Amino acid sequence: MLNKFTNLTKMNKESNQGVQLDLSRVPKHVAIIMDGNGRWAKKRGLPRIAGHREGMKVVRKIVRRANQLGINALTMYAFSTENWKRPKPEVEFIMKLPEQFLVTYLPELIEENVQVRIMGEEEGVPSYTLKAVHEAVERTKHNDGLILNFALNYGSRYEITSAVRKLALEVEQGNLRSEDVNEKMIGSYMMSNDIGDPELLIRTSGEIRLSNFMLWQLAYTELWFTDVYWPDFSEADFDSAIHDYQNRGRRFGGV
Ligand code: IPE
Ligand code: IPE
Ligand code: MG
């Protein structure tokens, strides 16, 4: 039997990559802020939407890689509650991408045992977008491979506010005492609760901020930033992030 390192060295050779990863220590849940589509396009004299289209292909590539590495879940920030501020044609284009992505790739994702999920506020999202995503969720719900969790119309403050509201209602109705509210309970109201907190967060494009993404869940997550624009992000970049993660000392406040 091949050992865990040999195995991956072979995989790395196949995709012409350099870093050696320990497959027994890959993060279970990786979250990605896919940023830089617009600037990627601008640099090429293309409209911003060209960057979004290119970015969609990269999602496919990284999902395949994550699956190869045995990662359990990938949460991808696709559209934030703040992104409605963008010009209407751009928003419309982005909202058509999930359908395009799934028409193109759903058969392959099913083949690869991927389970598609969505987190975010559905209100305001066009019905054609929801229809495509719900269909993918339904058709893949029994798959037990990689969880591909799209954050669509997602905002962390919205998520936390909804959680507080639900808890307040429980107290109001006499089902819960305020002194019994604890971290676990609050966490259980987060949309990604059953996936667990991400061990690693990746953000592309050189911006060093969270932009309202998973504020509760990222409390002890390892953060990894790169200047690479999302459409240029490669499997090798992804591997580098995992490699860095594997070389960090996670202490969680201990020694
Ligand atoms: C990320 O790329 C995609 C979305 C936010 C939908 P951007 O569109 O933010 O690209 P930049 O940051 O303007 O380059
Ligand atoms: C964050 O990127 C949202 C997504 C990647 C979907 P933005 O481009 O919207 O974030 P800011 O505006 O740079 O903070
Ligand atoms: Mg951006």
Side-chain angles (χ1 to χ4, degrees), residues 34-39 48 83 86 203 205 207 209:
M34 309 181 277
D35 198 14
N37 293 350
R39 279 164 287 167
R48 291 178 55 86
N83 287 147
R86 297 184 177 207
R203 182 172 189 151
S205 92
E207 307 300 354
R209 57 175 167 263

Side-chain angles (χ1 to χ4, degrees), residues 33-89:
I33 302 176
M34 309 181 277
D35 198 14
N37 293 350
R39 279 164 287 167
W40 178 92
K42 193 175 172 211
K43 213 173 83 182
R44 287 165 176 73
L46 299 169
R48 291 178 55 86
I49 58 168
H52 297 312
R53 193 185 293 118
E54 200 61 28
M56 189 179 85
K57 298 178 196 160
V58 179
V59 174
R60 175 67 193 107
K61 220 163 57 177
I62 298 307
V63 167
R64 190 180 291 118
R65 186 62 178 168
N67 221 350
Q68 283 174 342
L69 296 177
I71 288 165
N72 293 351
L74 257 190
T75 295
M76 318 282 275
Y77 206 4
F79 193 87
S80 76
T81 47
E82 287 69 44
N83 287 147
W84 297 105
K85 292 175 193 159
R86 297 184 177 207
K88 208 165 167 235

